Amino acid sequence: MKIIDLKNNTTVKAKDLAIERPTIDFALLNNQVAAILAEIKTDRDKAITKYTTQFDGVVLKEISVTQEEITTGIASLSIEIKQAIDIAARNIHLFHEAQKEPIKQIETMPGIVCWRKSVGIEKVGLYIPGGSAPLFSTILMLGIPASIAGCKEVVLCTPPNKDGSLHPAVLYAASVAGIEKIFKVGGVQAIGAMAYGTETIPKVYKIFGPGNQYVTTAKQLVLQEGVAIDMPAGPSEVCIIADNTANPSFIASDLLSQAEHGADSQVVLITWDEAIIPLVRIELDRQLNLISRKDIASKALQNSTIVLVDCKEDAIIVANNYAAEHLIINCLQPELIAENIVNAGSIFLGNYAAESIGDYASGTNHTLPTNGFAKAYSGVSLDSFVKKITHQYVSKEGIKGIAKTVITMANAEGLDAHANAVSIRVSND
Amino acid sequence: MKIIDLKNNTTVKAKDLAIERPTIDFALLNNQVAAILAEIKTDRDKAITKYTTQFDGVVLKEISVTQEEITTGIASLSIEIKQAIDIAARNIHLFHEAQKEPIKQIETMPGIVCWRKSVGIEKVGLYIPGGSAPLFSTILMLGIPASIAGCKEVVLCTPPNKDGSLHPAVLYAASVAGIEKIFKVGGVQAIGAMAYGTETIPKVYKIFGPGNQYVTTAKQLVLQEGVAIDMPAGPSEVCIIADNTANPSFIASDLLSQAEHGADSQVVLITWDEAIIPLVRIELDRQLNLISRKDIASKALQNSTIVLVDCKEDAIIVANNYAAEHLIINCLQPELIAENIVNAGSIFLGNYAAESIGDYASGTNHTLPTNGFAKAYSGVSLDSFVKKITHQYVSKEGIKGIAKTVITMANAEGLDAHANAVSIRVSND
């Protein structure tokens, strides 16, 4: 990790510090991905089968997962993992259930009543990347709010293993989240299938979930064709603000838990306590040797930065400019710092709030804005799975009270027919 | 308006009816718009001045609107328009203020507390198209929720008139919405300026507002570069469900108030009352002759459709498939139909709920999803101007209770360092 020292080097001010992020130019893949999408649009299941054979190295008899596979898979999963998934699911359910918005009718003027009603998006698609240890936790993070929102059709696509199976934890998490339509399709072909529909896989209105650069590019391309997506994607990242009360080994463990995600992950430590920096470095070296994804984490640390600032206020400025996906405030009275954070995906307060607790089980959602998108985007929540449809009821009294206002504004905008629609109702009386 | 008759022609079922929308291929303009954007990124104010001269036919001394211009402009506006804007602003404020979300702390397990906090997007940009009768109502619809959200910097761009001035109603609406940074820039150059920033115009994180196909293309292109936008755009549209209690002249007035927006607007009438159709046609012909935008509205009616269905249930199916931006339910007991609507931007209930009331003054937002996007998108609301940042506090007790769950899941996903970040904290005790 390189150090940016704003404490001793006073020529750069905190507000002007732009921490460089690893850049990925997704546009490079546009043509390649667009060609696959076009083929899926035309050839549908035939194209899915072709690319599953080509990219996943599996010839599947059946894209859909059968009830028998689900039952057998789930039976093979350890009780321990099942219990962990159950507890995580319970917490995720609790937190997202509380995001339900009751209908509030507002009578803005006598006889004019306005309200919003949240209605689940009818058809949503969830993409879960594959591999020997697939991210089944993401199934809970997407499937549970979809179920609370009342989405009628929830489609899950995830690539099969080499033997054509899915990991039992994927099947169990899907079952806990109430997902019934599971398809063994990965990569660009999964995104294309859900965007356009095939003979087997239903078309959806919104696609959620993480993925590699091909999947991300495919999501961007179908977005331009009118399919909604959860949010733009970039490499995962954590930022930690630490003071002298922080435990250097806890800090190092959090930095590494982010760094192990991928070589393009980024971790940032901001502190005004110069003394903690060498202690964190020692712990990083020590703990790095204990993890299986050491190579990946080492590469990510090369993209990463320690910022030594002059004071707490400057730490807040740097953190807000960076707009981290995950922000851990590992300080005394973390709430006083959190109050001043305006850009972050999710904030973890205190010495015990490891990012991984939120990643799996505290109840908050782990699908969060990366790459500085936290300046404008929220993470996934119940909101992401509903449309809030506005309603208005206008009575005879209501239109009388507002007629002059509407007619005046419509005329001033040169829209006669807008004015007429009101005057004709009032004069008809 | 052409008629689709599902009542007498029973070969097509309501659920299979896809009402064709006018199609616009924005991608055609991509290269042209991208070239202007690239020039703005490099040449900044110089490029803005160049394109304002070229497209708006004005040589401006100053892009920024001065306080003096605002004061003089507002003084010249009629009391009547000011009062109308004041009343509309009050209702819009009331409805959007009620969308504020109180912080709700959820203790998902003992010692694990999760909550969301809404924080205004710091920098937002509003685009308002110009012309002799500019859509100042949109300034209220975007500026008021931005102000309630606590957005710190709200930038308004709108093209100048031929004499270099702005319409006084624009200046007044901006002042009512508390917008202080107004720039005389239109079209692609406005979107580029707010996306990248220039010497004069601040860069923003999210851009809102309607526009022609060039503006829409520019918004799509900057979206791909990481600037958020309000929603994808398409031609405006209304759908009316009417029964035999509806007043044909009210129906016609609503159809025309949508049709006058643009030749590419679309209006749809769904009814199971065959007798009302000729009455609506007579009223359409009569009222069409009374409006100044007759030519535009006539063209829009050519894109438009009357659907005669067999029953109320089929009307609901057709309306949900169409997913209108505006849905007027002009029926007895409209709430019984509204209950079953799952796809719509905004719903207007009852005989007196003219769309134009919601367009201007009832309090609901008029920036709504068009083109079927209501299947996945909500209209603009307070939500559009905030990020909901999740927070979590974990105590020593909290981590003990959840440690096993997190460690088990992390290990099952092959993420050792995620497990370590918890175990190191628990074993340290």
Side-chain angles (χ1 to χ4, degrees):
Chain A
M1 293 179 80
K2 70 162 185 263
I3 294 202
I4 298 175
D5 182 349
L6 304 183
K7 190 171 207 146
N8 302 302
N9 170 4
T10 53
T11 55
V12 180
K13 297 227 178 318
K15 73 177 178 56
D16 300 321
L17 177 66
I19 299 170
E20 217 177 303
R21 283 186 154 88
T23 53
I24 299 181
D25 190 353
F26 292 116
L28 286 175
L29 304 175
N30 270 355
N31 291 342
Q32 201 181 339
V33 172
I36 300 176
L37 288 176
E39 197 174 330
I40 291 161
K41 204 184 239 176
T42 319
D43 292 352
R44 313 176 77 196
D45 277 349
K46 195 181 134 205
I48 299 295
T49 306
K50 171 183 154 186
Y51 285 111
T52 302
T53 308
Q54 185 174 328
F55 294 136
D56 301 308
V58 193
V59 182
L60 290 177
K61 262 195 227 149
E62 185 72 71
I63 301 173
S64 310
V65 174
T66 63
Q67 189 52 51
E68 198 198 327
E69 278 181 278
I70 296 173
T71 313
T72 316
I74 288 178
S76 75
L77 189 66
S78 77
I79 294 285
E80 196 189 12
I81 297 183
K82 279 182 191 164
Q83 281 176 344
I85 289 176
D86 289 347
I87 292 171
R90 181 193 157 277
N91 291 352
I92 295 165
H93 197 280
L94 268 176
F95 186 60
H96 289 78
E97 176 81 18
Q99 292 167 9
K100 275 190 178 172
E101 201 176 279
I103 292 178
K104 236 194 286 184
Q105 293 198 329
I106 309 292
E107 190 162 11
T108 52
M109 285 173 82
I112 300 182
V113 184
C114 305
W115 67 96
R116 293 201 295 177
K117 180 181 164 192
S118 294
V119 179
I121 298 172
E122 281 183 286
K123 300 159 192 262
V124 297
L126 316 183
Y127 181 70
I128 306 295
S132 54
L135 304 179
F136 58 85
S137 58
T138 304
I139 300 175
L140 303 179
M141 293 291 175
L142 301 175
I144 291 171
S147 146
I148 296 170
C151 300
K152 284 183 200 141
E153 184 157 78
V154 182
V155 172
L156 173 64
C157 286
T158 188
N161 295 323
K162 293 274 173 239
D163 63 359
S165 72
L166 294 184
H167 192 288
V170 163
L171 299 171
Y172 186 69
S175 144
V176 166
I179 300 168
E180 287 165 2
K181 296 193 178 171
I182 311 175
F183 301 98
K184 297 176 188 169
V185 189
V188 175
Q189 55 276 26
I191 304 304
M194 294 192 283
Y196 311 130
T198 73
E199 295 87 344
T200 310
I201 303 173
K203 171 182 166 57
V204 302
Y205 303 144
K206 189 168 184 178
I207 297 175
F208 295 78
N212 61 20
Q213 51 189 333
Y214 293 90
V215 168
T216 300
T217 304
K219 282 172 70 185
Q220 286 294 337
L221 290 174
V222 300
L223 173 66
Q224 291 165 46
E225 296 183 64
V227 180
I229 64 169
D230 46 1
M231 70 185 80
S236 194
E237 65 210 10
V238 72
C239 175
I240 303 179
I241 302 178
D243 66 8
N244 62 351
T245 69
N247 183 324
S249 69
F250 295 1
I251 295 175
S253 75
D254 287 328
L255 293 173
L256 287 173
S257 77
Q258 187 57 52
E260 75 173 341
H261 268 300
D264 59 3
S265 288
Q266 190 176 45
V267 305
V268 172
L269 169 63
I270 306 172
T271 186
W272 53 97
D273 179 39
E274 199 160 354
I276 210 169
I277 296 174
L279 303 176
V280 170
R281 284 190 182 281
I282 291 167
E283 274 297 310
L284 274 176
D285 288 342
R286 188 183 69 80
Q287 294 180 31
L288 191 59
N289 283 311
L290 305 175
I291 60 174
S292 57
R293 294 164 73 92
K294 180 182 170 178
D295 289 350
I296 292 172
S298 303
K299 279 186 197 142
L301 291 179
Q302 286 165 23
N303 301 328
S304 296
T305 305
I306 298 171
V307 186
L308 176 62
V309 289
D310 201 43
C311 56
K312 194 191 286 186
E313 290 65 36
D314 280 0
I316 292 169
I317 291 169
V318 172
N320 277 330
N321 277 348
Y322 184 65
E325 181 189 10
H326 307 94
L327 176 66
I328 302 177
I329 306 177
N330 205 325
C331 299
L332 200 66
Q333 295 189 292
E335 64 284 1
L336 298 185
I337 293 177
E339 265 173 24
N340 295 293
I341 296 298
V342 291
N343 296 323
S346 192
I347 302 178
F348 297 74
L349 291 95
N351 216 14
Y352 293 103
E355 187 205 307
S356 54
I357 295 177
D359 286 344
Y360 288 112
S362 65
T364 60
N365 208 291
H366 76 196
T367 308
L368 293 166
T370 54
N371 200 35
F373 294 127
K375 289 179 178 171
Y377 291 88
S378 309
V380 162
S381 72
L382 187 60
D383 297 350
S384 315
F385 293 90
V386 300
K387 294 94 38 93
K388 298 185 183 173
I389 304 178
T390 52
H391 289 64
Q392 54 212 291
Y393 170 76
V394 180
S395 72
K396 204 175 203 177
E397 182 197 11
I399 199 167
K400 277 188 187 159
I402 208 162
K404 192 182 163 198
T405 299
V406 175
I407 292 169
T408 303
M409 290 178 79
N411 285 334
E413 287 191 354
L415 296 173
D416 307 358
H418 279 65
N420 286 351
V422 170
S423 56
I424 207 168
R425 281 169 161 94
V426 175
S427 66
N428 187 270
D429 192 27
Chain B
M1 292 180 79
K2 68 164 187 261
I3 295 202
I4 299 175
D5 182 350
L6 303 183
K7 189 169 207 148
N8 302 302
N9 171 4
T10 53
T11 55
V12 180
K13 295 228 180 319
K15 73 176 178 55
D16 299 322
L17 177 66
I19 298 171
E20 218 177 303
R21 283 186 155 88
T23 54
I24 299 181
D25 190 353
F26 293 116
L28 286 176
L29 304 175
N30 270 354
N31 292 342
Q32 202 181 338
V33 172
I36 299 177
L37 288 176
E39 198 175 328
I40 290 161
K41 204 185 238 176
T42 319
D43 292 353
R44 312 177 77 197
D45 277 349
K46 196 181 132 204
I48 299 296
T49 306
K50 170 182 154 186
Y51 285 111
T52 302
T53 308
Q54 185 174 328
F55 293 136
D56 300 308
V58 193
V59 182
L60 291 177
K61 262 194 226 151
E62 184 73 70
I63 301 174
S64 311
V65 175
T66 63
Q67 188 52 51
E68 198 199 326
E69 279 182 279
I70 296 173
T71 313
T72 317
I74 288 178
S76 75
L77 190 66
S78 78
I79 294 284
E80 197 189 13
I81 298 183
K82 278 183 190 163
Q83 281 176 344
I85 290 176
D86 289 347
I87 292 172
R90 179 193 158 277
N91 291 352
I92 296 164
H93 196 280
L94 267 177
F95 187 60
H96 289 79
E97 176 81 19
Q99 292 167 8
K100 275 190 177 172
E101 202 176 279
I103 292 178
K104 235 192 290 183
Q105 294 199 329
I106 308 293
E107 189 161 11
T108 51
M109 286 173 82
I112 299 182
V113 184
C114 305
W115 66 97
R116 292 200 295 177
K117 180 182 163 190
S118 295
V119 179
I121 297 173
E122 281 182 287
K123 300 160 194 259
V124 297
L126 316 183
Y127 180 70
I128 306 295
S132 55
L135 304 178
F136 59 86
S137 58
T138 304
I139 300 175
L140 303 179
M141 294 291 174
L142 301 176
I144 291 172
S147 146
I148 296 170
C151 300
K152 283 183 201 142
E153 184 157 76
V154 182
V155 172
L156 173 63
C157 286
T158 189
N161 295 324
K162 292 273 174 239
D163 64 358
S165 71
L166 293 184
H167 191 288
V170 164
L171 299 172
Y172 185 69
S175 144
V176 166
I179 300 167
E180 287 165 2
K181 297 193 178 171
I182 310 175
F183 300 98
K184 296 176 190 169
V185 189
V188 175
Q189 55 276 28
I191 305 303
M194 295 191 282
Y196 310 131
T198 72
E199 296 88 344
T200 309
I201 303 172
K203 172 184 165 57
V204 302
Y205 302 143
K206 189 168 184 177
I207 297 175
F208 295 79
N212 61 20
Q213 50 189 333
Y214 293 91
V215 168
T216 300
T217 304
K219 282 172 69 184
Q220 287 294 335
L221 290 175
V222 301
L223 172 66
Q224 290 166 45
E225 295 184 65
V227 180
I229 65 169
D230 44 2
M231 69 184 79
S236 194
E237 66 209 10
V238 72
C239 175
I240 303 179
I241 302 178
D243 65 10
N244 61 352
T245 69
N247 182 324
S249 69
F250 296 1
I251 295 175
S253 74
D254 288 329
L255 294 174
L256 287 174
S257 77
Q258 187 57 50
E260 74 173 340
H261 268 301
D264 59 2
S265 287
Q266 190 176 45
V267 305
V268 173
L269 169 63
I270 306 173
T271 186
W272 53 97
D273 179 37
E274 199 160 353
I276 211 169
I277 296 174
L279 304 176
V280 171
R281 283 189 183 281
I282 291 167
E283 274 296 311
L284 273 176
D285 289 341
R286 188 184 68 82
Q287 294 180 31
L288 191 58
N289 284 311
L290 305 175
I291 61 174
S292 56
R293 294 165 73 93
K294 180 182 171 179
D295 289 350
I296 293 172
S298 302
K299 279 186 197 141
L301 290 179
Q302 286 165 24
N303 300 329
S304 296
T305 305
I306 298 171
V307 186
L308 176 62
V309 289
D310 200 44
C311 56
K312 193 191 286 187
E313 291 64 37
D314 280 359
I316 292 168
I317 291 169
V318 172
N320 277 329
N321 277 349
Y322 184 64
E325 182 190 10
H326 307 95
L327 176 66
I328 302 177
I329 305 177
N330 205 327
C331 300
L332 200 67
Q333 295 189 291
E335 64 283 1
L336 298 184
I337 293 177
E339 264 174 23
N340 295 295
I341 297 298
V342 292
N343 296 323
S346 191
I347 301 178
F348 297 73
L349 292 94
N351 216 15
Y352 293 103
E355 187 204 307
S356 53
I357 296 178
D359 286 344
Y360 287 112
S362 65
T364 60
N365 208 292
H366 76 197
T367 308
L368 294 166
T370 54
N371 201 34
F373 293 128
K375 289 180 178 171
Y377 291 87
S378 308
V380 161
S381 72
L382 187 61
D383 296 351
S384 315
F385 293 90
V386 300
K387 294 92 41 91
K388 299 187 182 172
I389 305 178
T390 52
H391 289 65
Q392 53 213 291
Y393 170 77
V394 180
S395 71
K396 204 175 202 178
E397 183 198 10
I399 199 169
K400 276 187 187 160
I402 208 163
K404 192 181 164 198
T405 298
V406 175
I407 292 168
T408 302
M409 290 177 79
N411 285 334
E413 287 191 354
L415 297 173
D416 305 0
H418 279 64
N420 287 351
V422 170
S423 56
I424 208 170
R425 281 167 160 97
V426 175
S427 66
N428 186 273
D429 192 29

